[in-house]
């Protein structure tokens, strides 16, 4: 099969950290790939390196005319373009809503005009808010943590009687409770995809990424994930600074496993019934604390040991870990990179150009 005979996949945000890894996997799987990415400097720093086999268009996904053109000949869309992270403060809110929600609406409207009915989109664990917990009366979802408790160093959620709640894995059917602007925009993206599927007979899968890390993460930016912030500090010769007490539970999943989940989801969209929206968690299934991750990364890189600061961010949640059983059972996906191997690789892997 020649490149011209291969089905054409559009990857939005395909020059980014996760998007570029998906692009490599898709090319290796026999797709022809077109990438749209606006190469915004707060993400890409000095630019991006693109596979020469890719048809690249420097396009903002909010540009309807450009998206109409970019979708010519496309059979499926992998939508990764988004502004990520908790942000600096509420002044970031308009950019989050415009980049993520307006951008998604434009992509979906252009897909509808072109009759393209297969979509895989990047969502996030943040749509859940806090994770699942077990208390004396069963599974509960705690309210947002109080500032007074955080100031006092009381980080773990408790029930109304003051009992400590025990964190558990969260499944896709749990109630959604986004607790910051980024989280709200990710849930809105899912809702837009649901509406698109119902209106057009489309087939959409949302992958709720847990904490993604790996080679090619952006560095020195407040919008990067915690793994990148720690890795950037180590590279500068500084100790990673761990917020709260470092006992926050997370599921750290390697970017190559995220890419393989996207490819499995793309395959699945070809077989889904029309008018379908289906979310899946994507995680390693293994729990580690943020403090453990910082320590493992420092050891592997030969850096300074982490410093636990007791500081907090009001929009953060305490514990959130994924059950990826649905993804494994329905799509036959499984993670391939262990925490230890992934952190050892990440400790010396190149990061993206510094964002000033």
């Amino acid at each position: 099969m020649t490149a011209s005979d291969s089905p054409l996949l559009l990857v939005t945000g395909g020059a980014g950290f996760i998007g570029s890894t998906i692009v490599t996997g898709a090319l290796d799987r026999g797709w022809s790939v077109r990438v749209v990415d606006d190469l915004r400097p707060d993400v890409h720093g000095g630019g991006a390196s693109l596979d020469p086999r890719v048809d690249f268009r420097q396009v903002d996904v909010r540009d309807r005319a450009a998206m109409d053109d970019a979708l010519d000949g496309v059979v499926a869309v992998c939508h990764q373009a988004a502004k990520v992270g908790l942000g600096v403060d509420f002044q970031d809110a308009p950019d989050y809503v415009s980049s993520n929600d307006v951008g998604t609406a434009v992509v979906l409207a252009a897909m509808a005009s072109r009759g393209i009915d297969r979509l895989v989109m990047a969502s996030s664990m943040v749509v859940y808010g806090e994770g699942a917990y077990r208390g004396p009366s069963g599974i509960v979802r705690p309210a947002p943590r109080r500032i007074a408790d955080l100031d006092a160093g009381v980080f773990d959620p408790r029930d109304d009687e003051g009992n400590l709640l025990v964190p558990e894995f969260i499944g896709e059917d749990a109630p959604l409770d986004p607790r910051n602007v980024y989280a709200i925009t990710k849930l809105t993206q899912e809702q837009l995809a649901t509406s698109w599927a119902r209106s057009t007979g489309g087939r959409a899968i949302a992958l709720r990424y847990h904490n993604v890390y790996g080679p090619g993460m952006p560095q020195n930016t407040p919008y990067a994930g915690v793994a990148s912030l720690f890795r950037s500090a180590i590279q500068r010769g500084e100790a990673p600074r761990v917020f709260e007490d470092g006992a926050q539970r997370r599921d750290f999943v390697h970017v190559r496993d995220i890419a393989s989940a996207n490819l499995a989801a793309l395959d699945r969209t070809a077989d889904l019934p029309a008018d379908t929206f289906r979310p899946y968690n994507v995680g390693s299934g293994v729990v580690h604390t943020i403090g453990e991750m910082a320590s493992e990364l420092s050891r592997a890189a030969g850096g300074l040991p982490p410093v636990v600061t007791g500081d907090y961010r009001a929009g953060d949640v305490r514990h959130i870990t994924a059950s990826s059983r649905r993804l494994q059972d329905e799509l036959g996906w499984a993670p391939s990179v262990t925490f230890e191997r992934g952190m050892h690789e990440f400790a010396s892997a190149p990061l993206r150009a510094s964002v000033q």
Side-chain angles (χ1 to χ4, degrees), residues 8 14 20 43 55 61 72 88 113 122 133 136 164 173 215 226 230-232 235 265 271-272 275 317:
L8 180 58
S20 61
V43 174
D55 173 14
V61 293
D72 183 37
V88 176
S113 293
Y133 292 80
L164 188 66
D173 294 329
V226 67
F230 291 164
R231 174 74 169 74
S232 297
Q235 188 166 295
D271 302 321
L272 288 174
D275 183 13
V317 297

Side-chain angles (χ1 to χ4, degrees), residues 9 11-29 33 35 49-51 53-54 78 80 209 212-217 254-263 337 345 352:
L9 172 68
V11 182
T12 71
F17 163 50
I18 294 174
S20 61
T21 310
I22 294 169
V23 167
T24 298
L27 289 166
D28 291 344
R29 288 278 294 272
V33 178
V35 165
S49 177
L50 294 162
D51 191 297
R53 295 172 290 175
V54 165
C78 187
Q80 305 294 314
Y209 303 159
V212 187
Y213 73 97
M217 289 191 83
H254 196 277
V255 67
R256 289 196 297 271
D257 287 331
I258 292 289
S260 69
N262 274 270
L263 295 171
V337 182
E345 175 197 35
R352 286 180 175 258

